mmCIF file of all heavy atoms in Angstrom:
data_model
loop_
_atom_site.group_PDB
_atom_site.id
_atom_site.type_symbol
_atom_site.label_atom_id
_atom_site.label_comp_id
_atom_site.label_asym_id
_atom_site.label_seq_id
_atom_site.Cartn_x
_atom_site.Cartn_y
_atom_site.Cartn_z
ATOM 1 N N MET A 719 50.035 174.189 245.489
ATOM 2 C CA MET A 719 51.258 174.074 244.738
ATOM 3 C C MET A 719 52.011 172.768 245.162
ATOM 4 O O MET A 719 52.471 172.008 244.391
ATOM 5 C CB MET A 719 52.160 175.263 245.057
ATOM 6 C CG MET A 719 53.505 175.275 244.351
ATOM 7 S SD MET A 719 53.263 175.348 242.513
ATOM 8 C CE MET A 719 54.964 175.090 242.020
ATOM 9 N N VAL A 720 52.006 172.530 246.511
ATOM 10 C CA VAL A 720 52.655 171.438 247.081
ATOM 11 C C VAL A 720 51.950 170.112 246.593
ATOM 12 O O VAL A 720 52.493 169.137 246.191
ATOM 13 C CB VAL A 720 52.642 171.385 248.593
ATOM 14 C CG1 VAL A 720 53.193 170.076 249.150
ATOM 15 C CG2 VAL A 720 53.494 172.582 249.090
ATOM 16 N N ASN A 721 50.512 170.218 246.413
ATOM 17 C CA ASN A 721 49.728 169.092 245.981
ATOM 18 C C ASN A 721 50.208 168.715 244.534
ATOM 19 O O ASN A 721 50.198 167.520 244.200
ATOM 20 C CB ASN A 721 48.265 169.391 246.082
ATOM 21 C CG ASN A 721 47.756 169.429 247.507
ATOM 22 O OD1 ASN A 721 48.388 168.885 248.427
ATOM 23 N ND2 ASN A 721 46.656 170.018 247.660
ATOM 24 N N ILE A 722 50.437 169.708 243.747
ATOM 25 C CA ILE A 722 50.765 169.430 242.413
ATOM 26 C C ILE A 722 52.124 168.676 242.277
ATOM 27 O O ILE A 722 52.205 167.856 241.524
ATOM 28 C CB ILE A 722 50.776 170.829 241.569
ATOM 29 C CG1 ILE A 722 49.417 171.333 241.448
ATOM 30 C CG2 ILE A 722 51.412 170.633 240.189
ATOM 31 C CD1 ILE A 722 49.342 172.675 240.843
ATOM 32 N N VAL A 723 53.045 169.128 243.063
ATOM 33 C CA VAL A 723 54.367 168.523 243.114
ATOM 34 C C VAL A 723 54.259 167.088 243.535
ATOM 35 O O VAL A 723 54.915 166.196 243.031
ATOM 36 C CB VAL A 723 55.297 169.369 244.065
ATOM 37 C CG1 VAL A 723 56.650 168.640 244.285
ATOM 38 C CG2 VAL A 723 55.605 170.732 243.424
ATOM 39 N N ILE A 724 53.515 166.855 244.628
ATOM 40 C CA ILE A 724 53.270 165.425 245.096
ATOM 41 C C ILE A 724 52.684 164.622 244.041
ATOM 42 O O ILE A 724 53.125 163.560 243.801
ATOM 43 C CB ILE A 724 52.471 165.531 246.414
ATOM 44 C CG1 ILE A 724 53.243 166.168 247.560
ATOM 45 C CG2 ILE A 724 52.029 164.138 246.806
ATOM 46 C CD1 ILE A 724 52.479 166.432 248.829
ATOM 47 N N LEU A 725 51.577 165.112 243.452
ATOM 48 C CA LEU A 725 50.927 164.277 242.352
ATOM 49 C C LEU A 725 51.862 164.036 241.227
ATOM 50 O O LEU A 725 51.945 162.926 240.714
ATOM 51 C CB LEU A 725 49.620 165.034 241.855
ATOM 52 C CG LEU A 725 48.456 165.123 242.837
ATOM 53 C CD1 LEU A 725 47.373 165.945 242.272
ATOM 54 C CD2 LEU A 725 48.091 163.697 243.191
ATOM 55 N N PHE A 726 52.666 164.979 240.836
ATOM 56 C CA PHE A 726 53.591 164.861 239.801
ATOM 57 C C PHE A 726 54.630 163.785 240.127
ATOM 58 O O PHE A 726 54.966 162.951 239.306
ATOM 59 C CB PHE A 726 54.287 166.187 239.458
ATOM 60 C CG PHE A 726 55.318 166.062 238.355
ATOM 61 C CD1 PHE A 726 54.902 166.006 236.950
ATOM 62 C CD2 PHE A 726 56.650 166.123 238.535
ATOM 63 C CE1 PHE A 726 55.743 165.845 235.958
ATOM 64 C CE2 PHE A 726 57.617 166.076 237.477
ATOM 65 C CZ PHE A 726 57.116 165.907 236.205
ATOM 66 N N SER A 727 55.135 163.827 241.362
ATOM 67 C CA SER A 727 56.223 162.884 241.801
ATOM 68 C C SER A 727 55.607 161.541 241.883
ATOM 69 O O SER A 727 56.235 160.506 241.514
ATOM 70 C CB SER A 727 56.760 163.249 243.160
ATOM 71 O OG SER A 727 55.820 163.101 244.100
ATOM 72 N N ILE A 728 54.357 161.324 242.237
ATOM 73 C CA ILE A 728 53.633 160.033 242.271
ATOM 74 C C ILE A 728 53.508 159.524 240.802
ATOM 75 O O ILE A 728 53.820 158.364 240.491
ATOM 76 C CB ILE A 728 52.303 160.151 242.948
ATOM 77 C CG1 ILE A 728 52.462 160.314 244.480
ATOM 78 C CG2 ILE A 728 51.445 158.832 242.680
ATOM 79 C CD1 ILE A 728 51.194 160.604 245.184
ATOM 80 N N ALA A 729 53.170 160.404 239.869
ATOM 81 C CA ALA A 729 52.983 160.030 238.500
ATOM 82 C C ALA A 729 54.297 159.555 237.916
ATOM 83 O O ALA A 729 54.289 158.569 237.242
ATOM 84 C CB ALA A 729 52.297 161.181 237.757
ATOM 85 N N VAL A 730 55.359 160.298 238.200
ATOM 86 C CA VAL A 730 56.654 159.905 237.685
ATOM 87 C C VAL A 730 57.045 158.623 238.283
ATOM 88 O O VAL A 730 57.660 157.708 237.642
ATOM 89 C CB VAL A 730 57.745 161.036 238.021
ATOM 90 C CG1 VAL A 730 59.154 160.482 237.734
ATOM 91 C CG2 VAL A 730 57.445 162.301 237.235
ATOM 92 N N SER A 731 56.906 158.371 239.557
ATOM 93 C CA SER A 731 57.218 157.098 240.184
ATOM 94 C C SER A 731 56.443 155.882 239.511
ATOM 95 O O SER A 731 57.054 154.854 239.329
ATOM 96 C CB SER A 731 56.815 157.164 241.612
ATOM 97 O OG SER A 731 57.670 158.067 242.347
ATOM 98 N N LEU A 732 55.137 156.080 239.353
ATOM 99 C CA LEU A 732 54.366 155.068 238.651
ATOM 100 C C LEU A 732 54.859 154.805 237.245
ATOM 101 O O LEU A 732 54.958 153.588 236.888
ATOM 102 C CB LEU A 732 52.865 155.491 238.670
ATOM 103 C CG LEU A 732 52.164 155.486 239.989
ATOM 104 C CD1 LEU A 732 50.765 156.076 239.818
ATOM 105 C CD2 LEU A 732 52.135 154.068 240.597
ATOM 106 N N LEU A 733 55.156 155.883 236.540
ATOM 107 C CA LEU A 733 55.683 155.667 235.244
ATOM 108 C C LEU A 733 57.035 154.835 235.156
ATOM 109 O O LEU A 733 57.218 153.991 234.380
ATOM 110 C CB LEU A 733 55.898 157.034 234.467
ATOM 111 C CG LEU A 733 56.440 156.990 233.089
ATOM 112 C CD1 LEU A 733 55.369 156.138 232.213
ATOM 113 C CD2 LEU A 733 56.569 158.414 232.581
ATOM 114 N N CYS A 734 57.940 155.276 236.105
ATOM 115 C CA CYS A 734 59.204 154.569 236.173
ATOM 116 C C CYS A 734 58.944 153.069 236.640
ATOM 117 O O CYS A 734 59.580 152.170 236.041
ATOM 118 C CB CYS A 734 60.054 155.166 237.281
ATOM 119 S SG CYS A 734 60.720 156.816 236.768
ATOM 120 N N GLY A 735 58.106 152.796 237.546
ATOM 121 C CA GLY A 735 57.706 151.449 237.833
ATOM 122 C C GLY A 735 57.266 150.627 236.679
ATOM 123 O O GLY A 735 57.626 149.519 236.449
ATOM 124 N N PHE A 736 56.392 151.308 235.891
ATOM 125 C CA PHE A 736 55.824 150.623 234.711
ATOM 126 C C PHE A 736 56.951 150.290 233.710
ATOM 127 O O PHE A 736 56.958 149.200 233.223
ATOM 128 C CB PHE A 736 54.731 151.492 234.018
ATOM 129 C CG PHE A 736 54.194 150.968 232.819
ATOM 130 C CD1 PHE A 736 53.278 149.921 232.806
ATOM 131 C CD2 PHE A 736 54.616 151.488 231.532
ATOM 132 C CE1 PHE A 736 52.815 149.395 231.638
ATOM 133 C CE2 PHE A 736 54.099 150.930 230.339
ATOM 134 C CZ PHE A 736 53.263 149.907 230.376
ATOM 135 N N VAL A 737 57.805 151.276 233.415
ATOM 136 C CA VAL A 737 58.843 151.076 232.505
ATOM 137 C C VAL A 737 59.839 149.995 232.972
ATOM 138 O O VAL A 737 60.212 149.048 232.096
ATOM 139 C CB VAL A 737 59.695 152.458 232.222
ATOM 140 C CG1 VAL A 737 60.842 152.175 231.467
ATOM 141 C CG2 VAL A 737 58.715 153.427 231.543
ATOM 142 N N LEU A 738 60.167 149.993 234.188
ATOM 143 C CA LEU A 738 61.051 148.978 234.779
ATOM 144 C C LEU A 738 60.421 147.609 234.672
ATOM 145 O O LEU A 738 61.106 146.575 234.453
ATOM 146 C CB LEU A 738 61.460 149.325 236.189
ATOM 147 C CG LEU A 738 62.414 150.355 236.385
ATOM 148 C CD1 LEU A 738 62.682 150.722 237.909
ATOM 149 C CD2 LEU A 738 63.722 150.107 235.720
ATOM 150 N N GLY A 739 59.136 147.512 234.964
ATOM 151 C CA GLY A 739 58.389 146.278 234.789
ATOM 152 C C GLY A 739 58.453 145.805 233.378
ATOM 153 O O GLY A 739 58.632 144.545 233.158
ATOM 154 N N GLN A 740 58.184 146.672 232.418
ATOM 155 C CA GLN A 740 58.315 146.159 231.013
ATOM 156 C C GLN A 740 59.719 145.726 230.583
ATOM 157 O O GLN A 740 59.839 144.731 229.912
ATOM 158 C CB GLN A 740 57.912 147.407 230.097
ATOM 159 C CG GLN A 740 56.398 147.736 230.172
ATOM 160 C CD GLN A 740 55.569 146.615 229.797
ATOM 161 O OE1 GLN A 740 55.718 146.036 228.852
ATOM 162 N NE2 GLN A 740 54.531 146.305 230.655
ATOM 163 N N VAL A 741 60.737 146.465 231.115
ATOM 164 C CA VAL A 741 62.083 145.997 230.831
ATOM 165 C C VAL A 741 62.366 144.621 231.413
ATOM 166 O O VAL A 741 62.931 143.739 230.776
ATOM 167 C CB VAL A 741 63.119 147.040 231.325
ATOM 168 C CG1 VAL A 741 64.501 146.546 231.295
ATOM 169 C CG2 VAL A 741 62.972 148.341 230.541
ATOM 170 N N TYR A 742 62.008 144.383 232.686
ATOM 171 C CA TYR A 742 62.104 143.171 233.364
ATOM 172 C C TYR A 742 61.273 142.060 232.556
ATOM 173 O O TYR A 742 61.933 140.948 232.364
ATOM 174 C CB TYR A 742 61.663 143.238 234.774
ATOM 175 C CG TYR A 742 61.777 141.898 235.441
ATOM 176 C CD1 TYR A 742 63.008 141.399 235.893
ATOM 177 C CD2 TYR A 742 60.651 141.047 235.695
ATOM 178 C CE1 TYR A 742 63.120 140.126 236.536
ATOM 179 C CE2 TYR A 742 60.725 139.808 236.328
ATOM 180 C CZ TYR A 742 61.969 139.393 236.757
ATOM 181 O OH TYR A 742 62.048 138.243 237.333
ATOM 182 N N GLU A 743 60.123 142.329 232.073
ATOM 183 C CA GLU A 743 59.360 141.407 231.374
ATOM 184 C C GLU A 743 60.075 141.014 230.050
ATOM 185 O O GLU A 743 60.077 139.825 229.692
ATOM 186 C CB GLU A 743 58.019 141.982 231.127
ATOM 187 C CG GLU A 743 56.935 141.001 230.739
ATOM 188 C CD GLU A 743 55.551 141.650 230.669
ATOM 189 O OE1 GLU A 743 55.039 142.069 231.689
ATOM 190 O OE2 GLU A 743 55.043 141.710 229.503
ATOM 191 N N ASP A 744 60.627 141.980 229.319
ATOM 192 C CA ASP A 744 61.255 141.774 228.098
ATOM 193 C C ASP A 744 62.575 140.993 228.252
ATOM 194 O O ASP A 744 62.837 140.061 227.526
ATOM 195 C CB ASP A 744 61.644 143.112 227.406
ATOM 196 C CG ASP A 744 60.364 143.823 226.856
ATOM 197 O OD1 ASP A 744 59.316 143.253 226.864
ATOM 198 O OD2 ASP A 744 60.577 144.973 226.579
ATOM 199 N N LEU A 745 63.294 141.156 229.435
ATOM 200 C CA LEU A 745 64.477 140.397 229.729
ATOM 201 C C LEU A 745 64.159 138.948 229.962
ATOM 202 O O LEU A 745 64.794 137.978 229.660
ATOM 203 C CB LEU A 745 65.304 141.059 230.870
ATOM 204 C CG LEU A 745 65.985 142.326 230.479
ATOM 205 C CD1 LEU A 745 66.587 142.922 231.839
ATOM 206 C CD2 LEU A 745 67.100 142.136 229.493
ATOM 207 N N SER A 746 63.014 138.717 230.780
ATOM 208 C CA SER A 746 62.572 137.448 231.055
ATOM 209 C C SER A 746 62.211 136.677 229.789
ATOM 210 O O SER A 746 62.572 135.467 229.618
ATOM 211 C CB SER A 746 61.330 137.489 231.992
ATOM 212 O OG SER A 746 61.590 137.535 233.230
ATOM 213 N N ALA A 747 61.498 137.367 228.929
ATOM 214 C CA ALA A 747 61.131 136.650 227.576
ATOM 215 C C ALA A 747 62.403 136.336 226.798
ATOM 216 O O ALA A 747 62.420 135.311 226.200
ATOM 217 C CB ALA A 747 60.227 137.652 226.790
ATOM 218 N N ALA A 748 63.366 137.293 226.802
ATOM 219 C CA ALA A 748 64.563 137.012 225.995
ATOM 220 C C ALA A 748 65.294 135.775 226.613
ATOM 221 O O ALA A 748 65.914 134.959 225.857
ATOM 222 C CB ALA A 748 65.476 138.228 226.080
ATOM 223 N N GLU A 749 65.379 135.667 227.966
ATOM 224 C CA GLU A 749 65.911 134.462 228.592
ATOM 225 C C GLU A 749 65.335 133.215 228.219
ATOM 226 O O GLU A 749 65.928 132.243 227.951
ATOM 227 C CB GLU A 749 66.035 134.639 230.042
ATOM 228 C CG GLU A 749 67.017 135.678 230.595
ATOM 229 C CD GLU A 749 66.979 135.956 232.034
ATOM 230 O OE1 GLU A 749 66.163 135.324 232.748
ATOM 231 O OE2 GLU A 749 67.719 136.811 232.522
ATOM 232 N N LYS A 750 63.983 133.217 228.215
ATOM 233 C CA LYS A 750 63.217 132.124 227.870
ATOM 234 C C LYS A 750 63.460 131.687 226.408
ATOM 235 O O LYS A 750 63.553 130.484 226.088
ATOM 236 C CB LYS A 750 61.705 132.290 228.105
ATOM 237 C CG LYS A 750 61.240 132.370 229.535
ATOM 238 C CD LYS A 750 59.840 132.664 229.755
ATOM 239 C CE LYS A 750 59.505 132.853 231.251
ATOM 240 N NZ LYS A 750 58.168 133.250 231.376
ATOM 241 N N ILE A 751 63.535 132.725 225.484
ATOM 242 C CA ILE A 751 63.769 132.368 224.077
ATOM 243 C C ILE A 751 65.165 131.785 223.887
ATOM 244 O O ILE A 751 65.286 130.836 223.253
ATOM 245 C CB ILE A 751 63.631 133.647 223.306
ATOM 246 C CG1 ILE A 751 62.143 134.140 223.199
ATOM 247 C CG2 ILE A 751 64.205 133.548 221.830
ATOM 248 C CD1 ILE A 751 61.906 135.474 222.593
ATOM 249 N N ASN A 752 66.172 132.333 224.639
ATOM 250 C CA ASN A 752 67.549 131.763 224.565
ATOM 251 C C ASN A 752 67.572 130.327 225.025
ATOM 252 O O ASN A 752 68.203 129.495 224.421
ATOM 253 C CB ASN A 752 68.523 132.668 225.331
ATOM 254 C CG ASN A 752 68.770 133.974 224.692
ATOM 255 O OD1 ASN A 752 68.662 134.066 223.444
ATOM 256 N ND2 ASN A 752 69.264 134.892 225.461
ATOM 257 N N LYS A 753 66.843 130.079 226.132
ATOM 258 C CA LYS A 753 66.747 128.658 226.635
ATOM 259 C C LYS A 753 66.102 127.715 225.661
ATOM 260 O O LYS A 753 66.527 126.659 225.360
ATOM 261 C CB LYS A 753 66.035 128.671 227.977
ATOM 262 C CG LYS A 753 65.993 127.252 228.592
ATOM 263 C CD LYS A 753 65.206 127.194 229.785
ATOM 264 C CE LYS A 753 65.207 125.844 230.465
ATOM 265 N NZ LYS A 753 65.025 124.697 229.636
ATOM 266 N N LEU A 754 65.016 128.174 224.963
ATOM 267 C CA LEU A 754 64.311 127.426 224.002
ATOM 268 C C LEU A 754 65.201 127.139 222.819
ATOM 269 O O LEU A 754 65.319 126.038 222.235
ATOM 270 C CB LEU A 754 63.048 128.050 223.509
ATOM 271 C CG LEU A 754 61.916 128.048 224.670
ATOM 272 C CD1 LEU A 754 60.789 128.840 224.159
ATOM 273 C CD2 LEU A 754 61.372 126.611 224.892
ATOM 274 N N GLU A 755 65.993 128.117 222.373
ATOM 275 C CA GLU A 755 66.888 127.938 221.180
ATOM 276 C C GLU A 755 67.994 126.868 221.597
ATOM 277 O O GLU A 755 68.369 126.029 220.717
ATOM 278 C CB GLU A 755 67.593 129.311 220.846
ATOM 279 C CG GLU A 755 66.685 130.235 220.088
ATOM 280 C CD GLU A 755 66.299 129.777 218.808
ATOM 281 O OE1 GLU A 755 67.033 129.059 218.066
ATOM 282 O OE2 GLU A 755 65.205 130.113 218.271
ATOM 283 N N LYS A 756 68.536 126.963 222.827
ATOM 284 C CA LYS A 756 69.493 126.030 223.292
ATOM 285 C C LYS A 756 68.889 124.618 223.280
ATOM 286 O O LYS A 756 69.479 123.681 222.791
ATOM 287 C CB LYS A 756 69.998 126.452 224.587
ATOM 288 C CG LYS A 756 71.127 125.556 225.183
ATOM 289 C CD LYS A 756 71.593 125.947 226.554
ATOM 290 C CE LYS A 756 72.527 125.053 227.118
ATOM 291 N NZ LYS A 756 72.839 125.208 228.481
ATOM 292 N N ASP A 757 67.701 124.491 223.811
ATOM 293 C CA ASP A 757 66.994 123.237 223.868
ATOM 294 C C ASP A 757 66.793 122.638 222.405
ATOM 295 O O ASP A 757 67.001 121.485 222.240
ATOM 296 C CB ASP A 757 65.673 123.274 224.594
ATOM 297 C CG ASP A 757 65.863 123.555 226.049
ATOM 298 O OD1 ASP A 757 66.947 123.378 226.550
ATOM 299 O OD2 ASP A 757 64.831 123.878 226.797
ATOM 300 N N LYS A 758 66.472 123.535 221.499
ATOM 301 C CA LYS A 758 66.219 123.154 220.143
ATOM 302 C C LYS A 758 67.496 122.628 219.483
ATOM 303 O O LYS A 758 67.458 121.537 218.867
ATOM 304 C CB LYS A 758 65.647 124.298 219.363
ATOM 305 C CG LYS A 758 65.445 124.071 217.919
ATOM 306 C CD LYS A 758 65.078 125.371 217.251
ATOM 307 C CE LYS A 758 65.076 125.211 215.715
ATOM 308 N NZ LYS A 758 64.830 126.514 215.012
ATOM 309 N N GLN A 759 68.562 123.283 219.773
ATOM 310 C CA GLN A 759 69.877 122.853 219.241
ATOM 311 C C GLN A 759 70.205 121.490 219.877
ATOM 312 O O GLN A 759 70.733 120.503 219.094
ATOM 313 C CB GLN A 759 70.962 123.785 219.511
ATOM 314 C CG GLN A 759 70.779 125.074 218.724
ATOM 315 C CD GLN A 759 71.822 126.186 219.194
ATOM 316 O OE1 GLN A 759 72.524 125.970 220.182
ATOM 317 N NE2 GLN A 759 71.772 127.335 218.568
ATOM 318 N N GLU A 760 70.004 121.231 221.136
ATOM 319 C CA GLU A 760 70.306 119.961 221.729
ATOM 320 C C GLU A 760 69.442 118.831 221.147
ATOM 321 O O GLU A 760 69.959 117.717 220.927
ATOM 322 C CB GLU A 760 70.207 120.040 223.209
ATOM 323 C CG GLU A 760 71.204 120.945 223.908
ATOM 324 C CD GLU A 760 70.927 121.137 225.477
ATOM 325 O OE1 GLU A 760 69.979 120.627 226.011
ATOM 326 O OE2 GLU A 760 71.794 121.805 226.145
ATOM 327 N N LEU A 761 68.165 119.172 220.946
ATOM 328 C CA LEU A 761 67.216 118.211 220.395
ATOM 329 C C LEU A 761 67.676 117.918 218.929
ATOM 330 O O LEU A 761 67.612 116.634 218.592
ATOM 331 C CB LEU A 761 65.803 118.633 220.504
ATOM 332 C CG LEU A 761 65.184 118.631 221.905
ATOM 333 C CD1 LEU A 761 63.816 119.269 221.878
ATOM 334 C CD2 LEU A 761 65.055 117.234 222.374
ATOM 335 N N ASN A 762 68.059 118.829 218.195
ATOM 336 C CA ASN A 762 68.407 118.570 216.840
ATOM 337 C C ASN A 762 69.649 117.701 216.760
ATOM 338 O O ASN A 762 69.836 116.873 216.006
ATOM 339 C CB ASN A 762 68.684 119.903 216.034
ATOM 340 C CG ASN A 762 67.301 120.555 215.607
ATOM 341 O OD1 ASN A 762 66.356 119.886 215.526
ATOM 342 N ND2 ASN A 762 67.320 121.813 215.410
ATOM 343 N N ALA A 763 70.609 118.076 217.683
ATOM 344 C CA ALA A 763 71.893 117.198 217.711
ATOM 345 C C ALA A 763 71.501 115.810 218.127
ATOM 346 O O ALA A 763 72.097 114.812 217.513
ATOM 347 C CB ALA A 763 72.776 117.824 218.741
ATOM 348 N N ALA A 764 70.635 115.565 219.083
ATOM 349 C CA ALA A 764 70.311 114.208 219.504
ATOM 350 C C ALA A 764 69.580 113.495 218.374
ATOM 351 O O ALA A 764 69.773 112.305 218.138
ATOM 352 C CB ALA A 764 69.399 114.324 220.724
ATOM 353 N N LEU A 765 68.725 114.184 217.657
ATOM 354 C CA LEU A 765 68.021 113.584 216.572
ATOM 355 C C LEU A 765 69.036 113.183 215.447
ATOM 356 O O LEU A 765 68.974 112.091 214.816
ATOM 357 C CB LEU A 765 66.961 114.576 215.966
ATOM 358 C CG LEU A 765 66.177 114.076 214.734
ATOM 359 C CD1 LEU A 765 65.435 112.824 215.112
ATOM 360 C CD2 LEU A 765 65.234 115.140 214.263
ATOM 361 N N SER A 766 70.011 113.999 215.215
ATOM 362 C CA SER A 766 71.022 113.777 214.228
ATOM 363 C C SER A 766 71.787 112.529 214.559
ATOM 364 O O SER A 766 72.039 111.671 213.713
ATOM 365 C CB SER A 766 71.969 114.927 214.113
ATOM 366 O OG SER A 766 72.131 115.448 212.866
ATOM 367 N N ASP A 767 72.186 112.402 215.871
ATOM 368 C CA ASP A 767 72.880 111.247 216.364
ATOM 369 C C ASP A 767 72.084 110.019 216.186
ATOM 370 O O ASP A 767 72.590 108.910 215.736
ATOM 371 C CB ASP A 767 73.320 111.394 217.811
ATOM 372 C CG ASP A 767 74.406 112.508 218.020
ATOM 373 O OD1 ASP A 767 75.055 112.870 217.026
ATOM 374 O OD2 ASP A 767 74.619 112.898 219.152
ATOM 375 N N TYR A 768 70.804 110.112 216.514
ATOM 376 C CA TYR A 768 69.916 108.966 216.416
ATOM 377 C C TYR A 768 69.769 108.466 214.942
ATOM 378 O O TYR A 768 69.904 107.288 214.646
ATOM 379 C CB TYR A 768 68.618 109.314 216.930
ATOM 380 C CG TYR A 768 67.534 108.200 216.821
ATOM 381 C CD1 TYR A 768 67.548 107.055 217.578
ATOM 382 C CD2 TYR A 768 66.549 108.307 215.890
ATOM 383 C CE1 TYR A 768 66.644 106.035 217.372
ATOM 384 C CE2 TYR A 768 65.544 107.320 215.703
ATOM 385 C CZ TYR A 768 65.660 106.182 216.488
ATOM 386 O OH TYR A 768 64.694 105.189 216.254
ATOM 387 N N GLN A 769 69.639 109.490 214.088
ATOM 388 C CA GLN A 769 69.459 109.117 212.683
ATOM 389 C C GLN A 769 70.790 108.479 212.035
ATOM 390 O O GLN A 769 70.715 107.666 211.219
ATOM 391 C CB GLN A 769 69.045 110.340 211.824
ATOM 392 C CG GLN A 769 67.595 110.748 212.134
ATOM 393 C CD GLN A 769 67.225 112.084 211.417
ATOM 394 O OE1 GLN A 769 68.092 112.845 211.050
ATOM 395 N NE2 GLN A 769 65.897 112.262 211.357
ATOM 396 N N ASN A 770 71.941 108.958 212.510
ATOM 397 C CA ASN A 770 73.213 108.383 212.048
ATOM 398 C C ASN A 770 73.421 107.022 212.589
ATOM 399 O O ASN A 770 74.132 106.251 211.883
ATOM 400 C CB ASN A 770 74.331 109.340 212.489
ATOM 401 C CG ASN A 770 74.369 110.684 211.758
ATOM 402 O OD1 ASN A 770 73.820 110.755 210.683
ATOM 403 N ND2 ASN A 770 74.965 111.685 212.365
ATOM 404 N N GLN A 771 72.858 106.722 213.714
ATOM 405 C CA GLN A 771 73.042 105.357 214.282
ATOM 406 C C GLN A 771 72.152 104.326 213.527
ATOM 407 O O GLN A 771 72.495 103.139 213.530
ATOM 408 C CB GLN A 771 72.670 105.299 215.781
ATOM 409 C CG GLN A 771 73.729 106.021 216.625
ATOM 410 C CD GLN A 771 73.307 106.065 218.097
ATOM 411 O OE1 GLN A 771 72.269 105.657 218.506
ATOM 412 N NE2 GLN A 771 74.125 106.694 218.862
ATOM 413 N N ARG A 772 71.121 104.681 212.900
ATOM 414 C CA ARG A 772 70.202 103.810 212.174
ATOM 415 C C ARG A 772 70.729 103.328 210.945
ATOM 416 O O ARG A 772 71.437 103.426 210.231
ATOM 417 C CB ARG A 772 68.864 104.497 212.016
ATOM 418 C CG ARG A 772 68.155 104.675 213.280
ATOM 419 C CD ARG A 772 66.793 105.324 213.129
ATOM 420 N NE ARG A 772 65.836 104.197 212.833
ATOM 421 C CZ ARG A 772 64.630 104.286 212.242
ATOM 422 N NH1 ARG A 772 64.303 105.489 211.822
ATOM 423 N NH2 ARG A 772 63.946 103.253 212.043
#
């Protein structure tokens, strides 16, 4: 009986770790996407300025 409880708690711990890892990975990806969007806006603004100067 104790073995089953121990195995169950290990399984729950692993599952929680996996879920937290996925959440962290998704947040990292979202931050990278936001940074790329910001870079894209800055590049478009710079391109616009350059084209207006010509």
Side-chain angles (χ1 to χ4, degrees):
M719 181 66 185
V720 175
N721 288 342
I722 293 172
V723 171
I724 291 171
L725 289 175
F726 182 72
S727 65
I728 290 172
V730 169
S731 297
L732 289 173
L733 182 61
C734 288
F736 175 74
V737 169
L738 288 175
Q740 291 299 311
V741 168
Y742 177 76
E743 197 173 291
D744 290 346
L745 288 175
S746 273
E749 287 176 2
K750 288 177 185 175
I751 289 170
N752 287 339
K753 184 185 180 315
L754 288 172
E755 285 292 331
K756 183 180 173 190
D757 290 349
K758 178 183 167 187
Q759 290 173 355
E760 290 175 0
L761 286 171
N762 282 336
L765 178 61
S766 233
D767 289 344
Y768 175 73
Q769 288 174 339
N770 289 337
Q771 289 175 358
R772 292 182 83 202

